[in-house]
Amino acid sequence: MHLVFAIADIKMFRASLISAITAILVMAVNFLVSVVTARSLGPEGRGAFYSVQVFALFVASCAQLGLGQAMVYAVRAKIINFRVAYDTSSAVTTALSVCMAIAAFSFFLKEETTEIWMAACYAAAVSLTVFCGFCAQLESSLKAYNTARLALPVLVLLSLAAVAATDSMNLSAAIAIQALATLLVASGTWAYLRWKLRRTHDESISAKDTKPPGAGTSLVKLGLKFHATTLAGIFATNIDKIYLISKAAASELGIYSIAFSTSRILSSLYESMATSLYSRYGGHSDPGSTDVVVQVFRATFIPMMALAILGGFIGQVFIPLVFGHKFSGAAIPFAILLIESILSGSSWMLAQKFNIDGKPGLVAIRQIASIAPILIAMPFLPHQNLISWLAFVMAISGGVRLGLTIFFMMKMEKSSLRDLTPTISESMALINKFRRKGSFE
């Protein structure tokens, strides 16, 4: 099946292209944020800063209950009306994140790292950001989604640079800037979506105001299915940081954080593709979605993996040069994690087919199974070169996720292994599609 068929939906392709461009800009700005925090705080300070970020994301994700994801599917499938669920769901997830942050604070963080009220504020802001990120996918153009993605790191970078210029940068200031910027962008996004989607003329969203019988229960049940997948994914992708927070020095966590965050340069493109696919097909009964998902996977895997390998070699010189010699230990983990990011990112993009069909349980199974090699290996990881070994185990976990996703596609969607095998010819067709002037106008 030719690639042109897979991207025949021009509207989705435009949204994907804009999301990809936004992802590149976000990567660039986040990279600069990492440089500023690394050089201003050093390995130990960067490690403490990163531990707060991991804490806030973990707590916020646990508090979601899958309601944001479920709303996209349920509203499109006319199980529930957007007007009914948006306010209540956002209030529940935000309040729950504050309660969980207060309860879990002493288990994750030290009092000298940040104050409990700041951690709770940051977790609430991240929770609202995550919730709005899902709800923004109801807007097929993804304008609000992409704007918020870019606005947050830009605001953080400008604020950090202003403080660093006065030589008053410290850990508390960096955490406060991150928390307040996140809260500002999240609040603005929430208000915009509430206004915009309540007035939309999109019939898949602006259904009748009458609440269907049992709609709230249906939303919660579906949300909990998505939530199991989210929790498994958060645990699978953050178990390495949790391990380092509990076992390693803050400086090692700081070095690893640079390797990990910088390696997400390429996987964020896959995240954009996955978001565009779910935004376009989630909740719709469209048999063509399988072909689109498979074709995008086949066309992008080889060039993305080639870029990852090339980036790993460049990183051996690039990372010490940009972040400073104190972070030179991040170079090897960075190269390994780049490959892991492609394995995990392509797997997540391909698994969107199951989310599109309302079968998040399959996604959860692959997430949970991929944790096994990490848990088995952790007791045996040597202290010397710990973060490099940990990165290698994470790459194995990413490979397990991709392998299981392909297996499930073969079993559930009746796709053959040949259908799912990436090819150079389709990769070149995609590249030519971007080069061809006016191909997506």
Side-chain angles (χ1 to χ4, degrees):
M1 211 172 295
H2 196 270
L3 179 65
V4 173
F5 174 82
I7 56 179
D9 190 327
I10 300 300
K11 188 175 182 180
M12 190 207 76
F13 186 58
R14 283 177 178 170
S16 300
L17 180 60
I18 293 172
S19 292
I21 294 172
T22 303
I24 293 171
L25 295 174
V26 170
M27 286 186 293
V29 178
N30 276 330
F31 172 76
L32 294 176
V33 170
S34 295
V35 173
V36 172
T37 54
R39 288 194 169 272
S40 300
L41 303 176
E44 186 172 351
R46 168 70 190 187
F49 178 72
Y50 194 60
S51 67
V52 176
Q53 290 182 308
V54 172
F55 167 80
L57 178 60
F58 192 80
V59 167
S61 299
C62 289
Q64 292 304 300
L65 302 180
L67 294 177
Q69 291 164 290
M71 278 189 63
V72 178
Y73 184 89
V75 170
R76 286 270 172 76
K78 294 183 171 55
I79 297 173
I80 198 169
N81 184 270
F82 175 84
R83 297 177 176 89
V84 176
Y86 186 71
D87 292 352
T88 302
S89 297
S90 59
V92 168
T93 54
T94 303
L96 186 57
S97 68
V98 173
C99 296
M100 294 180 67
I102 294 173
F105 179 82
S106 60
F107 294 98
F108 278 84
L109 302 173
K110 299 177 182 178
E111 291 186 3
E112 56 266 28
T113 300
T114 188
E115 297 181 13
I116 189 170
W117 68 268
M118 180 60 74
C121 175
Y122 187 22
V126 174
S127 177
L128 191 58
T129 299
V130 173
F131 178 81
C132 290
F134 288 123
C135 291
Q137 295 174 38
L138 285 166
E139 188 182 38
S140 58
S141 66
L142 296 175
K143 290 180 181 178
Y145 176 83
N146 287 319
T147 300
R149 285 179 70 200
L150 184 58
L152 177 56
V154 168
L155 183 58
V156 170
L157 177 62
L158 293 176
S159 302
L160 288 173
V163 174
T166 63
D167 293 326
S168 55
M169 175 65 73
N170 54 43
L171 179 60
S172 297
I175 294 172
I177 287 171
Q178 184 74 46
L180 294 176
T182 304
L183 182 60
L184 180 62
V185 173
S187 299
T189 305
W190 180 87
Y192 171 80
L193 289 174
R194 189 175 189 272
W195 172 81
K196 176 71 174 179
L197 295 178
R198 282 179 175 226
R199 290 163 175 77
T200 183
H201 296 292
D202 186 341
E203 293 183 358
S204 68
I205 299 174
S206 57
K208 60 182 180 179
D209 291 338
T210 303
K211 181 179 179 180
T217 303
S218 299
L219 181 68
V220 172
K221 286 182 178 179
L222 180 60
L224 291 177
K225 290 181 181 179
F226 279 110
H227 194 46
T229 302
T230 299
L231 286 181
I234 289 295
F235 190 68
T237 55
N238 287 283
I239 189 173
D240 52 340
K241 294 89 167 175
I242 296 172
Y243 175 79
L244 289 176
I245 289 173
S246 61
K247 297 292 184 181
S251 58
E252 283 188 290
L253 176 61
I255 293 172
Y256 185 82
S257 73
I258 291 299
F260 185 86
S261 60
T262 309
S263 70
R264 301 305 98 175
I265 287 174
L266 296 178
S267 64
S268 62
L269 293 174
Y270 271 123
E271 182 68 28
S272 296
M273 296 177 205
T275 300
S276 297
L277 288 167
Y278 188 68
S279 175
R280 169 61 181 83
Y281 293 107
H284 294 298
S285 299
D286 190 338
S289 62
T290 300
D291 295 302
V292 174
V293 172
V294 170
Q295 292 287 350
V296 172
F297 169 75
R298 288 176 50 159
T300 58
F301 185 82
I302 291 177
M304 293 285 276
M305 183 59 75
L307 286 173
I309 294 172
L310 177 62
F313 284 109
I314 296 174
Q316 305 308 302
V317 175
F318 180 76
I319 286 183
L321 180 65
V322 174
F323 293 99
H325 70 279
K326 291 182 179 180
F327 289 91
S328 58
I332 292 178
F334 166 74
I336 300 171
L337 288 170
L338 265 180
I339 294 175
E340 178 273 330
S341 73
I342 300 305
L343 295 173
S344 299
S346 61
S347 167
W348 176 244
M349 190 273 298
L350 189 60
Q352 288 310 298
K353 174 57 186 171
F354 309 129
N355 282 333
I356 287 169
D357 291 343
K359 301 174 183 176
L362 291 174
V363 185
I365 291 172
R366 57 183 272 290
Q367 300 281 45
I368 294 170
S370 69
I371 297 173
I374 305 175
L375 295 177
I376 293 171
M378 277 182 171
F380 306 102
L381 292 177
H383 183 71
Q384 187 175 6
N385 298 320
L386 173 62
I387 59 177
S388 295
W389 283 107
L390 187 59
F392 179 70
V393 173
M394 290 296 290
I396 294 175
S397 175
V400 170
R401 274 197 295 279
L402 179 57
L404 284 174
T405 305
I406 291 174
F407 175 77
F408 287 148
M409 286 292 292
M410 293 171 63
K411 290 295 182 181
M412 303 303 296
E413 302 300 325
K414 307 304 180 183
S415 299
S416 67
L417 184 60
R418 182 177 179 179
D419 291 336
L420 293 163
T421 302
T423 63
I424 295 177
S425 61
E426 285 189 312
S427 299
M428 293 305 299
L430 179 64
I431 294 172
N432 290 334
K433 184 74 177 178
F434 277 100
R435 286 177 176 173
R436 196 178 306 135
K437 182 179 180 180
S439 59
F440 39 80
E441 293 179 355

